[in-house]
Amino acid sequence: MSTRAPGPLPPRRRGEPLQRLLFGGVYGTVLASVLVAALGHDTGPTSPGYDAVWVLLAALASAAAHGYAHAIAHRAPDGTTVTVGTARSVLTEWPLVAAVVPTVALLLGAYAGWWSEGTAIDVALLLNTAALFGWGLWGARAAGRGWASSCRAGGVDMLLGFLIVGANVLIK
């Protein structure tokens, strides 16, 4: 028996799609950066195509896990089926997957022989660090902050990228 009063579901917050986009963008960018940084430490022959597939699979698995966990956490107490809701929740994690596409494209370019895997990794880390600044700037501007405050927020997000690059340099 349901304890929820009959009637329409409460409206979704207007900012939720933007929040999901920003969350997925930052999460996916950090995930791609960490994965691509780890790739430079292979002891065997380089395999940028294999690496690109694994970066993409990791993003897909992360998006599916996050969407599924979100659906489970918000499961209806009345016991109704959540199959459609779960699928919808997983599909709303597309920004996480989209954020790894530039890194995957760079690795596929290395696979095609357009540049080396090392160059792809270095450019991906640089590009992802710049993207983190953009995500932070965009999020702060969307929240109504001024340009100076938004640039500071972008700079803080960009620090995540610098930490990954720094760790990559230290580990090498």
Side-chain angles (χ1 to χ4, degrees):
M1 178 142 283
S2 174
T3 58
R4 187 178 172 277
L9 293 173
R12 295 183 82 153
R13 295 189 321 243
R14 271 182 31 168
E16 189 171 321
L18 179 59
Q19 290 170 348
R20 283 188 181 269
L21 176 67
L22 293 169
F23 172 84
V26 170
Y27 191 104
T29 302
V30 170
L31 177 68
S33 295
V34 169
L35 290 171
V36 79
L39 297 176
H41 303 293
D42 295 337
T43 56
T46 62
S47 181
Y50 177 83
D51 295 341
V53 169
W54 275 107
V55 170
L56 185 58
L57 285 176
L60 289 168
S62 295
H66 186 265
Y68 181 71
H70 186 75
I72 295 301
H74 294 93
R75 189 165 278 192
D78 62 5
T80 59
T81 181
V82 294
T83 306
V84 173
T86 300
R88 188 176 298 132
S89 183
V90 169
L91 291 174
T92 61
E93 299 299 325
W94 69 266
L96 190 157
V97 178
V100 305
V101 169
T103 299
V104 170
L106 285 163
L107 289 168
L108 290 175
Y111 178 72
W114 297 340
W115 46 76
S116 70
E117 185 177 34
T119 299
I121 290 169
D122 292 343
V123 172
L125 288 173
L126 177 68
L127 181 66
N128 290 344
T129 299
L132 286 169
F133 176 82
W135 289 119
L137 176 78
W138 187 13
R141 291 294 295 161
R145 292 188 182 173
W147 281 103
S149 177
S150 297
C151 286
R152 282 191 301 274
V156 169
D157 279 10
M158 195 166 75
L159 284 176
L160 289 170
F162 286 138
L163 287 172
I164 295 166
V165 170
N168 188 38
V169 168
L170 289 173
I171 291 171
K172 282 184 180 179

